């Protein structure tokens, strides 16, 4: 006894962005336990004031490279909500495809490049090129499918240029749509064949119940539209998002924090899985079963498994969207965009890979942005990560500093935090 | 001969360029790893090295407190490459340079505007010597692979200095000015394959200007197409903040 743990993990590696963990334990009692985001703040909400509605998605896309499609789709949805525009079936299908592209890129990167190295005791994916070449090749292929879909639908996956208010300025050919179907079928087969890689990971046995928040639209595994569902309080209109996020700034973290009924909640793949499990595709459900993943799952480390399940669902959904498009008259026409600005407020809520993302804009009658508000998933998860750490530390306090550091880093990485969004690696500081 | 060591670092950015750098087909990555040794890549690696042969820096500098880290990286690197628009020309971050700091701070942190340090967003060459750049927001993956190979072989980076219009014409696009849009293609550096005008968009300048761009000519064209001064400036502000001749 009398052991003092003093950990300071600066710039946690293998996460998107810059974050630190500080832990201070004296005689088994936590004196301080913090997860701080130390990214340079970038002021997007200020930068888009005064800009034209056609530029909002182009600019906010740059909030985050890995969620750029999600930021664009949330931005477009906010503008369309403000102007009272509704989308054609063609446009909805194209957005589902572009979104599937981003999930493939993002979830694959997280599962294989950021999370898995921990379980095989590697510092990164690079040594795996020698030791587990087949896994690396498999991962790169999955990621590439995402980028290739992005190229076809959006012009590119990172900061696409074809996605615009009301309609894409580009349409895929029938041949391209068939290629997408082919890739997604291959991806599904590969993912189903490789389930054992994930099923064999020994994830820490740590559970803590929390509030799970996601989009909600009965009948669908809601990603691009819907209301908001909380596992504590049920359904709420997307318009009441401020109520469900309650943002506040804290001193050591440039990303804002959020709370709802409890002092923290979780968004992301696990929250979606818990709330919307019944609407996953059959293939996705059968993979969940093979991974022993059932709702309600309260082990945050299993967020990575939920992402894997989602990839199967996304592949099924992309195939469906592509088939719907193929059934339409070919070649698909670029739809005319007639957008009349309306003064007022619009809200877009989209499930990006890391969780629910909100954009809200107030427009003047000429279609220029007066004010903007973006609420980012990593900011919403911030307090929940800290609460998990507080619950986890007493269970692992007898381990070595190195083991504690690794488990805390793995926990943070499981949330797949994208800190560039929230403003940006992680430093773990353990003070015993 | 041992392979050159390569490191990636980032400052204020969306990290989309690092992401684009690893958007490689399996064969491409394996080939690249034959010629270089990636030793620092915070997003994908948790190892750390001391000295680097080639350092790619993403992001712009927006805080004084980041300058010592930038200089330290410079001191430990043989060659520094500005990686992507933020590092190369200030990028989208520089859009805030057109607003007063009190204004943008208050817009984002209304109750605590002075809680966090921030300053004018600048490209990295404002503070350190830069040996090469890879333009774009985000960078182009093939161009990245090509330039890294150029550098490893001791050649000059093979980056076009003719305008986007040239590539646009090669692709036989209808000029978007004919379609009622405006485009910065005539003064912007090619190399992206005129990606935006080829996908229903217009060039907004993410690769920065060509050497000695004819900005007056560009403004004249935009005037002919009935853009007001403000509309023109709004387009230039997106990525050309660091071109003194524009503003
Ligand atoms: S569309 Fe733009 S890049 Fe293409 S020719 Fe016209 S001005 Fe040049
Ligand atoms: S067309 Fe212009 S804006 Fe688009 S990628 Fe090329 S340089 Fe950037």
């Amino acid at each position: 006894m009398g052991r003092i743990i003093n950990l300071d993990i600066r710039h946690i590696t293998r996460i998107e962005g810059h974050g630190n963990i500080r832990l201070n334990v004296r005689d088994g009692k936590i004196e301080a336990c913090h997860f701080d985001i130390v990214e340079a703040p970038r002021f997007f909400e200020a930068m888009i004031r005064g800009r034209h509605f056609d530029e909002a998605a182009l600019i906010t896309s740059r909030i985050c490279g890995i969620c750029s499609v999600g930021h664009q789709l949330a931005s477009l949805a906010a503008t369309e909500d403000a102007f009272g525009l509704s989308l054609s079936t063609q446009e909805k299908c194209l957005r589902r495809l572009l979104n599937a592209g981003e999930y493939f890129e993002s979830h694959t990167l997280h599962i294989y490049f950021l999370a898995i190295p921990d379980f095989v005791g590697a510092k990164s994916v690079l040594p795996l090129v020698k030791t587990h070449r087949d896994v690396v090749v498999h991962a790169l292929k999955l990621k590439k499918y995402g980028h290739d879909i992005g190229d076809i639908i959006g012009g590119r996956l990172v900061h696409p240029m074809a996605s615009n208010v009301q309609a894409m300025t580009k349409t895929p050919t029938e041949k391209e749509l068939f290629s997408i179907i082919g890739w997604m079928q291959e991806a599904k087969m590969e993912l189903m064949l490789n389930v054992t890689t994930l099923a064999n990971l020994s994830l820490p046995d740590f559970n803590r119940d929390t509030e799970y928040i996601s989009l909600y639209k009965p009948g669908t595994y809601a990603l691009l539209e819907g209301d908001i569902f909380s596992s504590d309080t049920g359904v709420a209109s997307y318009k009441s998002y401020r109520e469900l996020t309650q943002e506040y700034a804290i001193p050591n973290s440039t990303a804002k924090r959020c709370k709802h009924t409890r002092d923290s909640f979780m968004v992301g793949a696990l929250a979606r899985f818990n709330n919307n499990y019944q609407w996953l595709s059959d293939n996705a459900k059968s993979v969940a079963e093979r991974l022993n993943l059932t709702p309600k799952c309260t082990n945050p480390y299993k967020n990575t498994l939920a992402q894997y399940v989602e990839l199967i669902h996304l592949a099924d959904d992309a195939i469906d969207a592509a088939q719907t498009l193929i059934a339409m008259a070919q070649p698909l026409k670029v739809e005319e965009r007639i957008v009349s600005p309306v003064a007022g407020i619009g809200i877009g809520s989209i499930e990006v890979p890391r969780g629910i993302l909100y954009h809200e804009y107030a427009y003047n009658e000429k279609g220029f942005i007066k004010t903007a508000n973006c609420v980012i998933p990593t900011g919403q998860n911030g307090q929940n990560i800290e609460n998990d750490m507080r619950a986890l530390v007493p269970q692992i306090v007898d381990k070595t500093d190195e083991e504690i550091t690794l488990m805390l880093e793995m926990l943070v990485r499981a949330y797949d935090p994208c800190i560039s969004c929230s403003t940006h690696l992680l430093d773990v500081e353990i003070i015993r | 001969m041992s392979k050159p060591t390569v490191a990636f670092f980032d400052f204020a950015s969306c990290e989309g360029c690092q992401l684009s750098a690893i958007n490689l087909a399996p064969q491409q990555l394996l080939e690249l790893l034959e010629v270089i040794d990636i030793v620092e890549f915070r997003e994908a690696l948790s190892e750390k090295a001391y000295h680097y042969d080639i350092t790619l820096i993403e992001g712009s500098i927006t805080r004084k407190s980041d300058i010592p880290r930038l200089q330290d990286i410079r001191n430990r690197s043989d060659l520094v490459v500005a990686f992507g628009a933020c590092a190369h020309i200030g990028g989208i971050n520089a859009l805030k340079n057109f607003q007063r700091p009190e204004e943008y701070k208050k817009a984002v942190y209304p109750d605590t505007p002075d809680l966090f340090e921030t300053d004018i967003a600048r490209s990295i060459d404002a503070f350190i010597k830069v040996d090469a750049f890879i333009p774009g927001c985000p960078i182009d993956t093939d161009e990245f692979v090509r330039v890294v190979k150029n550098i490893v072989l001791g050649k000059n980076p093979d980056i076009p200095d003719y305008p986007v219009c040239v590539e646009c014409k090669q692709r036989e696009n209808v000029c978007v000015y004919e379609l009622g849009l405006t485009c910065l293609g005539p003064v912007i550096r090619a190399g992206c394959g005129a990606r935006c005008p080829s996908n229903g968009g217009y060039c907004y300048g993410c690769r920065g200007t060509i050497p000695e761009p004819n900005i007056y000519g560009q403004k004249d064209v935009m005037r002919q197409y009935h853009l007001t001064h403000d509309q023109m400036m709004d387009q230039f502000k997106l990525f050309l903040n660091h071109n003194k001749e524009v503003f």
Side-chain angles (χ1 to χ4, degrees):
Chain A
M1 270 337 238
R3 179 177 176 214
I4 302 170
I5 307 177
N6 224 331
L7 288 179
D8 182 1
I9 311 178
R10 300 212 162 252
H11 288 200
I12 303 171
T13 47
R14 282 186 285 128
I15 64 169
E16 302 275 334
H18 297 248
N20 300 335
I21 298 172
R22 281 182 298 136
L23 174 65
N24 195 330
V25 181
R26 189 184 291 273
D27 298 338
K29 236 184 99 232
I30 300 176
E31 290 188 332
C33 177
H34 298 287
F35 168 59
D36 305 326
I37 292 176
V38 294
E39 192 76 14
R42 294 172 65 219
F43 300 99
F44 275 91
E45 289 140 314
M47 292 196 295
I48 65 169
R49 287 178 311 164
R51 304 295 309 202
H52 186 252
F53 68 83
D54 256 339
E55 296 171 320
L58 175 164
I59 296 173
T60 53
S61 179
R62 269 75 185 182
I63 292 175
C64 173
I66 198 161
C67 321
S68 62
V69 166
H71 277 287
Q72 288 202 348
L73 296 179
S75 173
L76 298 177
T79 302
E80 287 149 0
D81 186 51
F83 298 170
L85 300 168
S86 51
L87 300 181
S88 69
T89 306
Q90 171 175 319
E91 179 63 16
K92 283 189 182 173
C93 288
L94 291 172
R95 290 190 189 185
R96 277 159 67 194
L97 288 173
L98 189 60
N99 189 49
E102 174 161 282
Y103 271 70
F104 261 84
E105 134 87 2
S106 176
H107 278 7
T108 309
L109 184 76
H110 177 249
I111 296 168
Y112 292 96
F113 286 35
L114 310 181
I116 281 194
D118 283 330
F119 297 100
V120 297
K123 296 247 179 236
S124 78
V125 71
L126 290 179
L128 306 188
V129 171
K130 289 206 181 76
T131 56
H132 299 71
R133 180 175 287 232
D134 49 332
V135 177
V136 176
V137 168
H138 159 74
L140 284 168
K141 263 164 71 183
L142 293 176
K143 226 166 73 62
K144 190 96 178 58
Y145 292 140
H147 277 275
D148 290 347
I149 295 177
D151 284 352
I152 289 178
I153 305 294
R156 70 182 163 210
L157 187 72
V158 181
H159 312 321
M161 61 288 286
S163 29
N164 280 286
V165 176
Q166 196 175 31
M168 300 259 175
T169 54
K170 169 186 200 250
T171 51
T173 62
E174 191 175 17
K175 195 168 153 233
E176 288 172 330
L177 290 169
F178 275 114
S179 313
I180 293 178
I181 293 179
W183 298 331
M184 287 294 96
Q185 271 162 345
E186 234 168 273
K188 232 170 37 176
M189 234 162 58
E190 292 230 359
L191 284 163
M192 283 153 84
L193 278 172
N194 283 297
V195 173
T196 42
T197 313
L198 269 273
N200 291 340
L201 299 180
S202 50
L203 294 170
D205 179 25
F206 166 73
N207 287 282
R208 187 181 72 85
D209 187 34
T210 185
E211 179 180 3
Y212 298 94
I213 296 183
S214 65
L215 271 190
Y216 176 79
K217 190 173 186 233
T220 66
Y221 192 80
L223 296 174
L224 298 181
E225 56 182 329
D227 279 315
I228 310 173
F229 183 86
S230 146
S231 56
D232 281 2
T233 56
V235 190
S237 161
Y238 70 96
K239 290 195 191 294
S240 60
Y241 84 97
R242 282 185 190 251
E243 189 57 40
L244 279 106
T245 50
Q246 300 178 33
E247 277 194 302
Y248 57 99
I250 57 165
N252 294 311
S253 192
T254 46
K256 293 177 196 170
R257 292 271 173 93
C258 291
K259 63 179 191 303
H260 182 222
T261 49
R262 313 186 195 190
D263 81 326
S264 78
F265 60 88
M266 182 176 187
V267 297
L270 194 63
R272 292 188 290 258
F273 177 88
N274 281 341
N275 290 350
N276 292 325
Y277 170 85
Q278 54 176 312
W279 294 299
L280 281 168
S281 73
D282 292 344
N283 289 321
K285 280 185 188 151
S286 78
V287 165
E289 207 182 310
R290 289 174 61 195
L291 290 170
N292 252 322
L293 188 68
T294 46
K296 170 188 189 181
C297 169
T298 57
N299 181 347
Y301 288 95
K302 293 196 173 168
N303 191 45
T304 308
L305 303 184
Q307 292 183 331
Y308 198 84
V309 171
E310 286 194 321
L311 283 181
I312 307 271
H313 177 84
L314 262 296
D316 279 324
D317 189 65
I319 293 172
D320 180 70
Q323 281 167 340
T324 309
L325 289 169
I326 291 174
M328 295 177 175
Q330 299 294 324
L332 294 173
K333 286 202 189 61
V334 174
E335 293 177 302
E336 211 180 334
R337 302 172 54 232
I338 309 166
V339 181
S340 327
V342 180
I345 289 180
I347 296 164
S349 44
I350 297 287
E351 284 285 350
V352 299
R354 288 159 192 74
I356 193 162
L357 165 69
Y358 308 97
H359 280 213
E360 175 183 351
Y361 306 143
Y363 276 106
N364 70 15
E365 68 292 345
K366 295 210 171 91
F368 288 86
I369 292 176
K370 292 199 299 190
T371 57
N373 187 33
C374 305
V375 185
I376 313 291
T378 298
Q380 296 175 61
N381 276 334
Q383 189 61 41
N384 207 59
I385 296 178
E386 210 167 281
N387 289 354
D388 276 353
M389 292 187 345
R390 283 175 193 277
L392 175 65
V393 166
Q395 300 177 20
I396 57 172
V397 76
D398 294 331
K399 296 187 188 278
T400 64
D401 279 12
E402 289 69 37
E403 286 168 329
I404 296 177
T405 299
L406 181 64
M407 283 189 74
L408 292 178
E409 285 196 312
M410 282 169 65
L411 176 71
V412 172
R413 280 199 281 266
Y415 280 82
D416 192 5
C418 171
I419 303 173
S420 44
C421 264
S422 352
T423 45
H424 267 276
L425 191 93
L426 243 43
D427 289 341
V428 183
E429 173 181 11
I430 310 187
I431 305 180
R432 295 219 193 213
Chain B
M1 208 181 80
S2 70
K3 293 186 269 184
T5 52
V6 174
F8 291 84
F9 291 95
D10 53 80
F11 291 86
S13 69
C14 80
E15 305 181 0
C17 290
Q18 292 182 67
L19 199 65
S20 300
I22 53 175
N23 167 28
L24 299 169
Q27 199 48 38
Q28 261 180 317
L29 177 70
L30 300 177
E31 274 173 32
L32 193 64
L33 292 178
E34 307 259 295
V35 295
I36 61 169
D37 190 9
I38 300 178
V39 292
E40 182 111 30
F41 198 149
R42 192 193 38 74
E43 252 181 40
L45 285 183
S46 28
E47 291 142 312
K48 304 202 188 277
Y50 187 76
H51 172 267
Y52 322 106
D53 295 320
I54 305 169
T55 297
L56 296 112
I57 301 180
E58 178 178 4
S60 28
I61 307 302
T62 63
R63 306 187 272 208
K64 287 203 178 64
S65 58
D66 283 334
I67 301 172
R69 180 172 159 245
L70 179 69
Q71 284 164 337
D72 176 56
I73 295 170
R74 170 71 262 189
N75 292 338
R76 294 190 282 124
S77 315
D78 282 356
L79 271 169
V80 167
V81 183
F83 186 52
C86 292
H88 173 211
I89 53 174
I92 200 86
N93 299 312
L95 195 48
K96 80 179 169 77
N97 298 355
F98 296 99
Q99 297 183 14
R100 295 212 325 273
E102 314 77 77
E103 267 172 39
Y104 60 71
K105 285 194 216 169
K106 241 186 136 75
V108 178
Y109 303 100
D111 305 326
T112 50
D114 292 315
L115 194 53
F116 304 110
E117 181 198 353
T118 186
D119 203 334
I120 288 178
R122 290 190 180 91
S123 52
I124 60 171
D125 67 354
F127 304 98
I128 59 165
K129 176 170 163 274
V130 173
D131 304 289
F133 62 89
I134 302 179
C137 177
I139 56 114
D140 179 275
T141 309
D142 293 332
E143 187 167 66
F144 155 73
V145 173
R146 197 177 66 233
V147 168
V148 167
K149 286 184 179 166
N150 288 156
I151 294 175
V152 170
L153 295 171
K155 292 189 194 156
N156 273 332
D158 161 23
I159 293 175
D161 51 18
Y162 46 83
V164 172
C165 287
V166 171
E167 289 178 332
C168 195
K169 301 240 158 60
Q170 283 165 355
R171 297 184 62 146
E172 303 184 353
N173 293 335
V174 175
C175 177
V176 302
Y177 277 102
E178 307 295 317
L179 305 172
L181 298 172
T182 50
C183 181
L184 299 182
V187 291
I188 300 300
R189 186 186 294 276
C192 59
R195 234 178 226 263
C196 300
S198 307
N199 286 298
Y202 52 89
C203 177
Y204 44 82
C206 80
R207 293 172 56 89
T209 54
I210 47 174
E212 296 172 40
N214 182 354
I215 298 290
Y216 290 104
Q218 177 68 26
K219 286 185 175 167
D220 264 354
V221 173
M222 291 167 89
R223 256 181 237 117
Q224 267 169 37
Y225 284 86
H226 309 294
L227 259 77
T228 64
H229 178 80
D230 286 353
Q231 286 170 324
M232 241 158 46
M233 285 306 154
D234 268 356
Q235 281 222 2
F236 288 127
K237 278 178 189 172
L238 281 178
F239 281 94
L240 302 186
N241 158 77
H242 104 155
N243 288 66
K244 298 289 161 285
E245 63 275 37
V246 176
F247 299 98

